[in-house]
Amino acid sequence: MSTSTERYSDRFEQYADRHPRVVDGLLVLALMACVIIGSAFTRPGTDPPFQRTTAILPMGVACLALLKHRTHPRAVTLIAVAGTVIVTALGYEITPLLLAPVMAALYWLTTLTGSRTARRYVALTLAALTVTSAVFDPSDALALVLRVIGFCFWLSLSFAAGNMTLLRRAYLASVQARAEYAERTREEEARLRVTEERLRIARDLHDVVAHHLALANAQAGTAAHLALTDPQQTKKILTDLTGTTSSALRDLKATLGLLRHDDDPASSALEPAPGLARLPELVAACDSAGLTVTVTTTGEPRPLSSGVDLTAFRIVQEALTNVTKHAAASSAQVRLAYLGSRVHITISNDGPDTGTTELEPSRGFGIIGMRERARTIGGELRAEPRPGGGFEVTTTLPLQPPGTVTADDTDTPAGREHA
């Protein structure tokens, strides 16, 4: 029932906002009808001249004044109170029908000016009607008390209705504000996700393009240097260069395919993301570019999640690319250490190093991208020159991203409960 009432109330308010003059005119006509009916009741022993006309004149003025309640609510209320006081002094019985203009004025006064102002006008109206009744109706005290109680009830009713309207409007405004805030929050979250996705794609493209182009450049330079002195070695390097460019195209296609993939079962399958299993290919490509890479593993190798495996491979790839581009070194070392639930990876090169400027953000994004990758899965990375010369990149990564339940974890009571 309340829902239906609220629905009709909302429709009425919407119509009133679109056509305020029409609604005000209809309400004034309804109040005039109440006044005409109420003017038929007079107090016993009183016979005002021109009975109906005498009451209709002041109350009609009060009703017409209500047309200006939106711009002059205080003045309209005083006019309505004055008209009611006049008909009280003339001997008319103050029924709710004659109080209707005052009640409407007090209601609009409450909704337009607030409760504090409306309370003062309610008290003023009650005092004026009480004094007028006491002076012009010399009846017994009980009748006066009953009449005052009636005044209090009807005036308080209009005041309470105005307060309810104020509260409802405040509630609707708060709901709208919360909805707008939620909409802004969703938009900001969407923009944040888009930014994060752009950074991830930028890191992938940087890893693919920078690594393969650096290797291709080194291989082409080496082939040009050995073209006259060692044709066989030149042929081998050029063959490796073909493999490097093919691998670059394959990785680039896989990265861009993630953007174009529409989850259609009929679409072509995407190539799996690279991992540490492709380290031999990476070592061979670096070797053909003139960089000898040694890989050592300590501890028992354990399976990595796909995200950690990809991150580990990209960090090794980017570090070796930096050695190829920036370091005057012919060899590099990659050390993998599996300790408990984490894997430690160290990539270092000996000799003088000219790649420390890579630490400056304005000169490149390689180390920045490696550090972002490590932090994304709960790891950490450190890149710094070695005390004896050269450069070293060290990263510690979890075998599983944070929040992933492993087989060992399920052996514990908490792990079994989580599983």
Side-chain angles (χ1 to χ4, degrees):
M1 182 65 180
S2 61
T3 303
S4 177
T5 304
E6 291 178 357
R7 182 169 63 252
Y8 289 121
S9 177
D10 291 339
R11 292 179 179 177
F12 178 78
E13 288 185 2
Q14 293 173 1
Y15 183 82
D17 291 337
R18 293 194 300 266
H19 308 284
R21 293 185 179 180
V22 175
V23 174
D24 292 347
L26 293 176
L27 290 176
V28 168
L29 290 177
L31 293 174
M32 286 292 296
C34 292
V35 168
I36 293 174
I37 297 174
S39 62
F41 301 97
T42 59
R43 290 195 300 271
T46 61
D47 188 16
F50 308 104
Q51 182 176 351
R52 288 181 178 271
T53 307
T54 306
I56 290 174
L57 181 60
M59 296 306 297
V61 173
C63 291
L64 292 177
L66 291 173
L67 292 174
K68 294 293 184 180
H69 74 274
R70 299 180 187 274
T71 56
H72 304 85
R74 295 176 177 83
V76 168
T77 303
L78 292 176
I79 293 174
V81 172
T84 307
V85 169
I86 291 174
V87 296
T88 303
L90 291 175
Y92 289 91
E93 187 71 28
I94 304 303
T95 62
L97 295 174
L98 288 182
L99 279 177
V102 176
M103 294 171 61
L106 289 174
Y107 168 80
W108 283 321
L109 179 71
T110 306
T111 60
L112 294 175
T113 62
S115 301
R116 179 176 298 180
T117 301
R119 278 195 296 268
R120 292 198 294 265
Y121 279 80
V122 168
L124 174 64
T125 304
L126 181 60
L129 293 178
T130 301
V131 172
T132 304
S133 296
V135 172
F136 292 95
D137 184 13
S139 57
D140 56 7
L142 179 60
L144 179 62
V145 171
L146 294 177
R147 193 176 299 117
V148 171
I149 292 175
F151 295 158
C152 291
F153 174 78
W154 294 111
L155 296 179
S156 299
L157 182 63
S158 62
F159 175 72
N163 274 326
M164 291 296 294
T165 301
L166 283 178
L167 292 175
R168 185 170 179 274
R169 290 176 180 175
Y171 170 75
L172 294 177
S174 65
V175 170
Q176 182 177 2
R178 286 196 298 269
E180 293 175 353
Y181 175 77
E183 184 66 24
R184 289 196 304 269
T185 303
R186 284 195 295 269
E187 292 177 356
E188 292 174 359
E189 184 178 356
R191 285 195 296 268
L192 179 61
R193 290 181 179 178
V194 170
T195 301
E196 292 176 349
E197 186 65 13
R198 288 175 58 187
L199 289 176
R200 186 191 66 79
I201 295 171
R203 285 196 298 265
D204 288 341
L205 290 177
H206 175 273
D207 292 341
V208 172
V209 176
H211 168 71
H212 289 98
L213 285 182
L215 287 181
N217 180 67
Q219 289 170 338
T222 304
H225 180 71
L226 299 176
L228 298 178
T229 59
D230 195 345
Q232 293 296 328
Q233 183 66 17
T234 301
K235 182 179 179 181
K236 179 179 181 303
I237 293 176
L238 291 177
T239 303
D240 293 339
L241 177 60
T242 303
T244 300
T245 55
S246 299
S247 178
L249 291 174
R250 185 172 62 252
D251 289 348
L252 187 60
K253 180 181 178 181
T255 302
L256 296 179
L258 291 175
L259 301 179
R260 299 174 61 90
H261 188 54
D262 56 359
D263 296 331
D264 186 0
S267 61
S268 58
L270 300 176
E271 182 179 348
L276 292 180
R278 289 180 57 178
L279 273 184
E281 299 179 23
L282 183 61
V283 170
C286 292
D287 184 65
S288 65
L291 178 66
T292 303
V293 180
T294 304
V295 180
T296 58
T297 303
T298 59
E300 182 181 355
R302 301 183 60 184
L304 307 177
S305 68
S306 57
V308 176
D309 202 15
L310 173 61
T311 298
F313 177 80
R314 292 302 189 194
I315 290 176
V316 175
Q317 183 185 57
E318 178 62 27
L320 293 178
T321 301
N322 289 343
V323 174
T324 305
K325 291 193 298 184
H326 302 294
S330 60
S331 63
Q333 298 80 39
V334 178
R335 293 185 293 275
L336 306 176
Y338 293 88
L339 301 175
S341 62
R342 307 182 76 84
V343 57
H344 300 266
I345 304 175
T346 303
I347 306 98
S348 61
N349 64 279
D350 299 325
D353 176 71
T354 59
T356 57
T357 56
E358 182 71 15
L359 287 171
E360 301 177 15
S362 61
R363 299 294 299 273
F365 297 96
I367 292 180
I368 295 177
M370 289 190 292
R371 186 172 289 113
E372 288 177 349
R373 282 186 178 277
R375 290 177 178 175
T376 300
I377 61 172
E380 55 186 19
L381 183 138
R382 186 177 68 254
E384 58 188 2
R386 301 179 65 185
F391 202 79
E392 183 176 83
V393 175
T394 304
T395 181
T396 302
L397 307 175
L399 299 180
Q400 301 289 335
T404 303
V405 180
T406 63
D408 293 341
D409 295 335
T410 58
D411 292 338
T412 63
R416 287 192 295 270
E417 181 180 355
H418 182 78

